[in-house]
């Protein structure tokens, strides 16, 4: 009796709080025409900047295809940089370049293998990027550019600058995908909380009334134990659903907290 009574008040509070917080977050999507034009223009400029850096044509609109488009351009920059220093006068420079480009190329190949389907959802696209942080690679590239600035040709220096810009663009894409993903997750959470919360409330109210009514006491005592366990599970369902979504969103936010060129120990682990 006390358990089902607690479910009623707890779930009602949980549903109300989740929906309130969700509406506050989703209210950011309500913008004036001027704000929408500004946002669209910024996204168009971002796409145009990426397309300008590659000869592959128009950047795709789907997240998986767009990310593959961007990663392939970055991989080409890394390979071009490595080929430019294949026979340098400085063996140390060649080693530093290889130490820079090899991990980048290897990681990009791993990500491309995981997003080979252009119809992947936003979470499947974002997932391999959670283990990606190019802050250290950007730092190493800048160190090479500064240390060997007299030994680098203009073409090599330009390629290093292009590689740095491509790595920064990957982080911009990751942060944008994270924003879209969290907005989608919160919208889905609101729907599921209502789908699960209302039946949970009805179930717990019915069970509570069954135990409270003296006329139904005999019926309540004759209920199979698995029905009582099932009703308790239904009462815990909204909380379980909330924990699942919050853990996933919090993990994504934690893994992408720092924005390039900064990083955190958690993102490098």
């Amino acid at each position: 009796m006390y358990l089902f009574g607690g479910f009623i008040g707890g779930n009602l509070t949980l549903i109300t709080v989740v929906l309130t917080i969700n509406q506050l977050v989703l209210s950011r999507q309500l913008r004036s025409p001027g704000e929408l034009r500004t946002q669209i223009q910024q996204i168009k400029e971002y796409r145009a900047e990426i397309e300008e850096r590659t000869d592959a044509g128009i950047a795709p609109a789907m997240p998986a295809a767009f990310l593959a488009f961007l990663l392939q351009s970055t991989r080409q920059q890394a390979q071009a940089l490595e080929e430019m220093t294949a026979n340098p006068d400085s063996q140390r420079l060649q080693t530093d370049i290889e130490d820079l480009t090899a991990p980048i190329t290897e990681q990009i190949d791993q990500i491309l293998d995981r997003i080979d389907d252009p119809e992947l959802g936003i979470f499947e696209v974002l997932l391999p990027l959670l283990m990606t942080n190019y802050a250290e690679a950007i730092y190493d590239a800048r160190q090479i550019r500064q240390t060997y600035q007299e030994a680098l040709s203009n073409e090599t220096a330009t390629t290093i600058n292009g590689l740095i810009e491509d790595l920064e663009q990957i982080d911009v894409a990751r942060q944008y995908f994270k924003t879209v993903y969290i907005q989608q997750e919160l919208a889905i959470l609101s729907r599921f909380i209502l789908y699960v919360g209302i039946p949970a409330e009805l179930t717990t109210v019915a069970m509570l009334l069954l135990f409270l009514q003296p006329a139904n006491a005999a019926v309540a005592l004759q209920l199979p134990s698995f029905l009582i366990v099932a009703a308790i599970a239904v009462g815990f369902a909204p909380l379980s659903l909330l924990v699942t979504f919050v853990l996933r969103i919090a993990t994504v936010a934690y893994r992408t907290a720092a924005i390039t060129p900064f990083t955190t120990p958690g993102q490098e682990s």
Side-chain angles (χ1 to χ4, degrees), residues 181-202:
Y181 165 73
I182 291 178
Q183 290 177 342
Q184 288 185 354
E185 285 290 278
L186 290 175
I188 295 173
L189 175 60
S190 295
R191 293 168 52 199
F192 283 6
I193 282 291
L194 291 177
Y195 294 158
V196 175
I198 292 178
E201 285 290 274
L202 295 176

Side-chain angles (χ1 to χ4, degrees), residues 72 74-84 101 105 109 159 163:
Q72 289 168 356
T74 307
R75 191 180 189 280
Q76 292 174 359
Q77 288 282 354
Q79 289 180 328
L81 178 61
E82 189 171 352
E83 292 173 358
M84 289 178 183
T101 58
T105 304
D109 289 339
T159 305
L163 179 61

Side-chain angles (χ1 to χ4, degrees), residues 126-262:
L126 182 61
L127 187 60
L129 293 179
L130 297 183
M131 307 303 295
T132 303
N133 188 279
Y134 293 114
E136 291 293 336
I138 292 175
Y139 172 80
D140 293 338
R142 296 181 64 191
Q143 281 288 96
I144 292 174
R145 185 179 59 186
Q146 181 176 359
T147 303
Y148 303 100
Q149 55 183 341
E150 297 182 356
L152 295 176
S153 64
N154 293 334
E155 185 179 5
T156 303
T158 301
T159 305
I160 292 177
N161 293 335
L163 179 61
I164 293 174
E165 292 179 7
D166 283 348
L167 295 177
E168 291 174 347
Q169 299 289 17
I170 293 176
D171 193 62
V172 173
R174 180 177 67 163
Q175 296 296 335
Y176 179 70
F177 290 156
K178 177 186 72 172
T179 301
V180 175
Y181 165 73
I182 291 178
Q183 290 177 342
Q184 288 185 354
E185 285 290 278
L186 290 175
I188 295 173
L189 175 60
S190 295
R191 293 168 52 199
F192 283 6
I193 282 291
L194 291 177
Y195 294 158
V196 175
I198 292 178
E201 285 290 274
L202 295 176
T203 301
T204 52
V205 167
M207 294 299 295
L208 184 62
L209 292 176
L210 184 63
F211 279 99
L212 287 178
Q213 293 293 332
N216 298 330
V219 177
L221 292 175
Q222 295 175 2
L223 288 176
S225 57
F226 73 88
L227 289 180
I228 305 297
V229 174
I232 293 174
V234 171
F236 276 114
L239 179 61
S240 302
L241 182 66
L242 177 64
V243 170
T244 301
F245 273 81
V246 169
L247 281 177
R248 190 160 58 242
I249 293 174
T251 301
V252 170
Y254 175 76
R255 295 295 307 178
T256 58
I259 300 177
T260 301
F262 296 101

Side-chain angles (χ1 to χ4, degrees), residues 85-134:
T85 57
N87 296 301
D89 297 332
S90 174
Q91 185 65 33
R92 182 181 175 185
L93 172 59
Q94 181 179 2
T95 302
D96 290 345
I97 292 292
E98 291 175 353
D99 292 341
L100 169 66
T101 58
I104 294 175
T105 304
E106 180 181 359
Q107 191 174 55
I108 288 177
D109 289 339
Q110 293 175 356
I111 297 176
L112 289 174
D113 290 339
R114 298 184 63 177
I115 59 171
D116 55 351
D117 184 1
E119 300 298 327
L120 288 176
I122 192 68
F123 182 70
E124 288 76 11
V125 174
L126 182 61
L127 187 60
L129 293 179
L130 297 183
M131 307 303 295
T132 303
N133 188 279
Y134 293 114

Side-chain angles (χ1 to χ4, degrees), residues 4 27 31 58 69 145 254 263:
F4 287 118
S27 64
R31 299 182 176 91
I58 305 300
F69 182 90
R145 185 179 59 186
Y254 175 76
T263 186

Side-chain angles (χ1 to χ4, degrees), residues 22-32 35-36 39 179-187:
N22 191 25
Q23 293 307 313
L24 289 175
V25 174
L26 295 180
S27 64
R28 297 182 56 189
Q29 295 184 350
L30 304 177
R31 299 182 176 91
S32 65
E35 292 173 335
L36 289 173
Q39 183 180 13
T179 301
V180 175
Y181 165 73
I182 291 178
Q183 290 177 342
Q184 288 185 354
E185 285 290 278
L186 290 175

Side-chain angles (χ1 to χ4, degrees), residues 44 46-60 69:
K44 289 172 59 179
Y46 172 67
R47 291 171 58 88
E49 185 176 350
I50 293 176
E51 293 168 355
E52 186 178 354
R53 300 193 52 79
T54 179
D55 297 330
I58 305 300
F69 182 90

